Amino acid sequence: MKMELYKNDEQQRTSERPLILAVEDNEDNLLIIDYIVDSLNYRFIGEADGKKTLLIAQEFQPNLILLDIMLPEVNGIDLFHSLKQDKLTAHIPVIAVTALARVEERERILEAGFDAYVSKPYMLEEIEQAICHYVKQD
Ligand code: MN
């Protein structure tokens, strides 16, 4: 797991900035999302191991989860259901990020109840807009 650490005198203030969790087994894609989240001045957790998704979400309470559907060992749709069935994480919006481009796959994802869907390859702006739409700054 990769996490930003803040040790400066703005720690109190920065700890209130929105936190984005991205679960993605492709390191390059994770770096891209990290870059976008940084540019928005939000906090970021990147995780390649989908099996850790629920525990991380429970512990860190991200404002938004970007969830890859095609993960080794686990399926993003199953992870989504786990998140929605847990009272600690049910409220967190989840955006599916996936290369599953076929129409029936997209319908399956949206029927599962994901808040939104971003298909790979995506433009940086698509991810940025999706994050901004679901993260409301006070
Ligand atoms: Mn993947």
Side-chain angles (χ1 to χ4, degrees), residues 94-110:
V94 185
I95 298 177
V97 182
T98 175
L100 296 172
R102 303 205 313 273
V103 171
E104 60 267 34
E105 294 286 2
R106 174 160 52 186
E107 285 173 357
R108 197 161 69 89
I109 287 166
L110 292 175

Side-chain angles (χ1 to χ4, degrees), residues 24-26 68-72 120:
E24 163 70 75
D25 61 302
N26 180 293
D68 184 19
I69 299 302
M70 301 291 281
L71 291 160
K120 302 174 192 171

Side-chain angles (χ1 to χ4, degrees), residues 85-101:
Q85 283 160 14
D86 189 298
K87 67 180 192 296
L88 291 176
T89 56
H91 63 287
I92 304 171
V94 185
I95 298 177
V97 182
T98 175
L100 296 172

Side-chain angles (χ1 to χ4, degrees), residues 54-132:
L54 184 59
L55 280 174
I56 294 173
Q58 287 170 334
E59 180 170 357
F60 293 95
Q61 293 289 301
N63 299 80
L64 175 69
I65 300 172
L66 297 171
L67 185 57
D68 184 19
I69 299 302
M70 301 291 281
L71 291 160
E73 302 183 63
V74 287
N75 178 285
I77 294 178
D78 293 336
L79 289 177
F80 174 80
H81 290 308
S82 300
L83 289 162
K84 290 302 162 186
Q85 283 160 14
D86 189 298
K87 67 180 192 296
L88 291 176
T89 56
H91 63 287
I92 304 171
V94 185
I95 298 177
V97 182
T98 175
L100 296 172
R102 303 205 313 273
V103 171
E104 60 267 34
E105 294 286 2
R106 174 160 52 186
E107 285 173 357
R108 197 161 69 89
I109 287 166
L110 292 175
E111 278 171 12
F114 281 86
D115 292 275
Y117 172 101
V118 176
S119 57
K120 302 174 192 171
Y122 45 73
M123 308 284 285
L124 296 189
E125 290 77 10
E126 289 180 71
I127 295 287
E128 184 178 331
Q129 285 168 12
I131 292 172
C132 291

